[in-house]
Amino acid sequence: EDQVTQSPEALRLQEGESSSLNCSYTVSGLRGLFWYRQDPGKGPEFLFTLYSAGEEKEKERLKATLTKKESFLHITAPKPEDSATYLCAASPSGSARQLTFGSGTQLTVLP
Amino acid sequence: EPEVTQTPSHQVTQMGQEVILRCVPISNHLYFYWYRQILGQKVEFLVSFYNNEISEKSEIFDDQFSVERPDGSNFTLKIRSTKLEDSAMYFCASSSRGATNEKLFFGSGTQLSVL
């Protein structure tokens, strides 16, 4: 069974305190690994797609990396507006359309 | 920036009633999806829709559920004979291309409460 597990469940950081979120996946042939941001009362907002081990992508203070078993979302010098739930999702080879989501990491950045 | 629009934002219904959740996908998108998130649980795939037919569905999407694109702009999810366990946030999403790794644009969701 395809599975995506995220850790930690919750993370509190001081503004400027860098950290990483983890996403481990067990899927039958990974087509793509996605990171989304979700604010309270909103739908997930796309951040990155990673396709192969060793790939990295950056956007402002966020950098996503991928290995054969895990993905990391690194947050450098976060600001309070980075506070959100970060979701990881995998697209397995057995399915062309559906994403399997993790349960998310709720990030709080304190000023 | 174009966005996916969902109505209503909140829907309260009695157990056993039928509900229709509505979505207006981004106008040039061709692929449409429904996901749901039960409170405190993961976002779960329900169904994908392309070229006026279902392309994939999950085990959750049984005969109680149906989807339709009644015109060129709307995409609906109908839930017949609602149960308490159908209470969840329902998200509509759309994407523009057929590539399997195409990013999805999500709406803000409809919070369905079944009493």
Side-chain angles (χ1 to χ4, degrees), chain A residues 20-81:
Chain A
S20 296
L21 313 182
N22 176 264
C23 170
S24 61
Y25 61 91
T26 308
V27 297
S28 51
L30 184 73
R31 288 180 183 270
L33 190 291
F34 297 75
W35 283 97
Y36 283 84
R37 168 188 170 131
Q38 187 174 26
D39 292 298
K42 297 285 185 73
E45 177 187 349
F46 174 82
L47 293 173
F48 303 108
T49 311
L50 302 166
Y51 297 101
S52 56
E55 188 174 359
E56 297 183 353
K57 288 194 177 171
E58 287 189 65
K59 179 181 178 180
E60 297 181 354
R61 295 176 292 282
L62 301 177
K63 183 169 85 171
T65 62
L66 182 66
T67 72
K68 288 187 177 180
K69 294 183 179 179
E70 293 177 303
S71 178
F72 295 93
L73 184 66
H74 307 276
I75 303 176
T76 303
K79 298 182 178 181
E81 54 261 41

